[in-house]
Amino acid sequence: MRKQVAMSEYLPNVYTEFREKFPEIADNQDELAASIDQAGPLDDKTSRLVKLGIALGGQADGAVRSNVRKALKAGASREEVEHAILLGLTTRGFPATVAAWQWMNEVVDED
C-alpha cells in the first residue's frame, strides 16, 4: 500500500535509491530531459499530457502517476488528464486505459 502524501512530496523509493547510487547518471538524465522539454513549442501542460499518453502506452505505472502529478501541477484539470487517458482506449486498448485511469484516480485521491 502506498503512503498517503501530498503530490509534491511523493518520490518512489526506487527512484530516490537510483539517484543516490548513480548521482552523475541521474543528473545527466535531468539535463537531457530539460533540454528536450525546451526543444519545441509545446507548453509544460501539453508536454505532460503527451508524456502521460506515452506512459499509458507503455503500461508504466510509475510514469503514469508521475505525469498525472506533473500535468496537474502544470495546470491541467482532472478532466484534461482523464481525457488524455481516455484517448488511449482506441490505440492501446481497454485494459491499459482502465489501468491508467485507476492509477490516475489513486494519484488524485492522494492529494
Side-chain angles (χ1 to χ4, degrees), residues 11-30:
L11 292 174
N13 288 340
V14 67
Y15 174 81
T16 56
E17 290 169 5
F18 182 91
R19 291 190 70 86
E20 289 170 7
K21 175 81 175 173
F22 305 105
E24 186 176 341
I25 293 170
D27 290 344
N28 289 338
Q29 170 68 24
D30 293 345

Side-chain angles (χ1 to χ4, degrees), residues 60-111:
D61 177 353
V64 168
R65 292 172 188 275
S66 176
N67 282 291
V68 166
R69 287 182 187 91
K70 290 176 181 178
L72 292 169
K73 184 178 179 185
S77 67
R78 180 185 179 131
E79 292 78 17
E80 289 171 318
V81 170
E82 193 167 51
H83 188 213
I85 290 171
L86 288 174
L87 290 170
L89 186 67
T90 57
T91 303
R92 185 55 175 90
F94 187 78
T97 301
V98 170
W101 183 72
Q102 175 185 348
W103 299 330
M104 178 212 66
N105 282 305
E106 290 172 1
V107 166
V108 171
D109 291 344
E110 284 175 359
D111 192 30

